[in-house]
Amino acid sequence: MFLDETHLQLQKTARDFTEKEVIPIATECDHIFEKDKRASHIPENILRRIGDLGFYGIRTAAEDGGAGLGHLALVVVAEELARGWLSVGSCFSRNEASLALVVQPGFERLREKYLAGLLSGEIQTAMANSEADAGSDAANIKCAARKSDGKWIINGQKMWVTNADRANILHSLVRTDPKITPGKKHWGVSWLVIEKEPWDNSDPRLMITEIDTVGYHGMGTYQVDFSDFPVPEENMWGQEGRAFSMLMQGYETARIQFAGRCLGVARAAFGAALNYVTQRIQFDVPLATFQSIRFRLADMATSIEVCRQYAYHAAIKKDSGVRCDLEAGMAKLFAADMVMKVAWDALQMHGGYGYTRDLPLERYWRDAAMLPIGEGTQEIQRGVISARLLERVMPKK
Ligand SMILES: Cc1cc2nc3c(=O)[nH]c(=O)nc-3n(C[C@H](O)[C@H](O)[C@H](O)COP(=O)(O)OP(=O)(O)OC[C@H]3O[C@@H](n4cnc5c(N)ncnc54)[C@H](O)[C@@H]3O)c2cc1C
């Protein structure tokens, strides 16, 4: 499918921003990680520019201050920003998801407090759902909150929380009912809004420790330890003990958006390869002369375009308001396999130079490697897809 005028304009805006402001800083920021983790985070001015350009509020209704667009716009923007740096293509999705929650009926107090800051980027957020023993098995969480004197008191640990240190808000999945019903581990789980000061690690009740990841450095990934940490009772999204279904609904959006991120990294790697094979001379001719190189380019471009078309299809289906866990799962599954292959092919086409830190190929490759893991691993997507296919022929008793 072809994009309409509105989406083409959006694509152009995101592309210009990426070329002028993201690509020039991405590799340098990424590489500082080993010396100074905090310095490798996305610069503050980039976060604000994302707000100025209206990307955080891309799906937020116009009357709430957003662009009032849908999932297709989300994919278009994610692709363009991730082409510059995966972390930038990913960072806007946290506020974007928070805005989708904050505008819902019943959350007026949080909306009053956070709507403007989430739209501008002044407020940054993080999703604290996974734990050491609750990754794919997301319902297996142990981090617990108990009520005391009008507050939730949280104890336990969260793992893999991207952006936790800079964030003003952690959306945290906690067990509010200590009784675990066999076969229904997802019951008794609630979603709390944890307010904190960015970059402040002085409170021993909330310890934030950075994890030494190989890539995806622009927001950092953290372990978060709660020790009798108090949260106002009213800081809860939705119904007590029933957060899991909200999380599942959010996965459809997240996985579709994820496909956009994969597209962006793949396009960056492909663009570098396309350029290099016309410049690099071996056996007295450019690499692009060799059929095996040309065919590899053809395969890369085909898989990127097929991925883009399917991501658009999933996005449009989601915008139509019907269930689309099958399409979201397929989009994410195909996209994450595709980006791993394209990033690797591009590196290989650069030979030894691709394996140095002088070129961004190694960054694309390291960043790509997190994409088959986040928002449900490839195996989890295959589980979702096969379950949906089989339920048509093997209905549940
Ligand atoms: C860089 C990074 C950033 C992240 N950011 C966040 C974040 O911001 N917020 C957040 O909450 N989480 C985040 N995560 C966590 C991420 O969602 C989990 O890592 C992911 O869900 C996998 O969980 P796990 O690491 O515990 O692996 P496991 O669940 O232990 O899986 C290990 C392997 O076993 C496979 N496996 C597991 N169960 C099955 C099964 N039933 N059938 C077949 N195979 C299976 C998996 O596919 C995987 O290959 C992040 C992770 C990374 C690496």
Side-chain angles (χ1 to χ4, degrees):
M1 67 157 281
F2 298 107
L3 297 177
D4 64 14
E5 224 14 77
T6 305
H7 290 88
L8 282 173
Q9 187 52 49
L10 182 70
Q11 186 181 52
K12 184 177 176 327
T13 305
R15 189 170 292 174
D16 289 349
F17 166 64
T18 298
E19 277 166 11
K20 290 196 192 102
E21 299 177 55
V22 181
I23 292 176
I25 53 114
T27 300
E28 198 184 330
C29 283
D30 172 81
H31 284 183
I32 297 171
F33 185 79
E34 266 115 62
K35 290 194 200 110
D36 179 353
K37 289 190 172 50
R38 185 161 156 185
S40 73
H41 282 69
I42 301 166
E44 210 63 45
N45 66 310
I46 298 270
L47 295 176
R48 292 305 181 90
R49 286 281 293 133
I50 293 172
D52 296 344
L53 293 167
F55 296 153
Y56 296 121
I58 199 103
R59 278 192 307 137
T60 311
E63 60 267 30
D64 292 320
L69 296 169
H71 286 76
L72 183 58
L74 201 56
V75 174
V76 168
V77 172
E79 175 179 342
E80 292 306 323
L81 301 191
R83 185 168 77 91
W85 189 9
L86 173 64
S87 299
V88 174
S90 164
C91 80
F92 83 106
S93 67
R94 277 158 192 74
N95 277 25
E96 203 279 328
S98 307
L99 281 158
L101 285 170
V102 104
V103 296
Q104 286 183 24
F107 299 154
E108 286 72 17
R109 194 189 66 84
L110 294 168
R111 174 199 168 101
E112 180 76 17
K113 201 164 174 192
Y114 291 122
L115 182 69
L118 287 170
L119 285 167
S120 70
E122 195 183 332
I123 302 279
Q124 291 289 321
T125 60
M127 296 286 167
N129 298 327
S130 303
E131 295 180 8
D133 294 325
S136 301
D137 188 4
N140 197 40
I141 63 161
K142 302 284 186 306
C143 185
R146 66 182 156 79
K147 246 184 236 176
S148 171
D149 290 337
K151 291 201 165 37
W152 289 105
I153 308 295
I154 311 182
N155 279 288
Q157 187 185 78
K158 290 286 165 186
M159 276 296 280
W160 312 114
V161 187
T162 299
N163 209 30
D165 205 3
R166 168 187 265 147
N168 306 71
I169 295 175
L170 306 179
H171 301 293
S172 197
L173 213 57
V174 291
R175 194 164 284 289
T176 44
D177 182 351
K179 186 166 71 59
I180 301 180
T181 313
K184 303 253 185 283
K185 283 192 289 192
H186 56 290
W187 284 5
V189 167
S190 307
W191 222 351
L192 291 183
V193 178
I194 293 162
E195 296 162 292
K196 60 181 271 297
E197 287 302 316
W199 306 119
D200 180 3
N201 226 340
S202 62
D203 186 345
R205 299 172 303 174
L206 178 65
M207 294 306 294
I208 297 181
T209 316
E210 188 148 3
I211 299 169
D212 205 359
T213 57
V214 297
Y216 197 42
H217 290 153
M219 288 176 284
T221 305
Y222 300 85
Q223 174 181 317
V224 178
D225 288 275
F226 298 102
S227 176
D228 286 333
F229 187 79
V231 174
E233 201 176 319
E234 62 272 20
N235 276 21
M236 182 176 282
W237 296 119
Q239 224 188 322
E240 183 179 332
R242 291 285 177 270
F244 216 72
S245 61
M246 284 167 80
L247 184 71
M248 292 296 120
Q249 279 166 29
Y251 273 144
E252 289 185 4
T253 296
R255 287 170 185 170
I256 292 168
Q257 198 262 145
F258 220 79
R261 293 184 211 173
C262 296
L263 278 164
V265 177
R267 227 175 86 217
F270 175 73
L274 191 65
N275 185 46
Y276 190 73
V277 297
T278 62
Q279 312 291 322
R280 172 73 175 162
I281 307 291
Q282 285 294 278
F283 302 96
D284 303 321
V285 291
L287 288 180
T289 313
F290 303 117
Q291 193 183 52
S292 68
I293 297 279
R294 299 168 80 105
F295 281 13
R296 191 175 246 180
L297 286 174
D299 288 347
M300 291 159 88
T302 303
S303 62
I304 291 172
E305 188 53 34
V306 168
C307 178
R308 181 180 294 119
Q309 290 298 325
Y310 194 77
Y312 286 179
H313 165 73
I316 290 165
K317 184 153 185 193
K318 178 75 181 160
D319 282 337
S320 76
V322 298
R323 176 180 175 183
C324 70
D325 54 343
L326 177 74
E327 289 79 5
M330 284 181 170
K332 198 268 168 176
L333 175 65
F334 188 85
D337 280 350
M338 178 280 293
V339 68
M340 284 298 283
K341 172 134 178 49
V342 169
W344 159 248
D345 281 348
L347 192 152
Q348 175 70 6
M349 285 159 93
H350 282 73
Y353 298 103
Y355 199 60
T356 67
R357 281 161 70 87
D358 297 336
L359 297 178
L361 278 302
E362 57 84 34
R363 171 167 65 85
Y364 304 147
W365 186 46
R366 282 184 288 109
D367 278 355
M370 84 76 58
L371 293 163
I373 300 170
E375 298 298 356
T377 64
Q378 299 300 80
E379 291 73 24
I380 293 304
Q381 305 310 322
R382 289 188 174 94
V384 170
I385 295 163
S386 55
R388 288 281 279 122
L389 296 175
L390 287 167
E391 77 188 16
R392 295 173 185 172
V393 287
M394 288 173 61
K396 274 190 200 149
K397 295 208 173 94

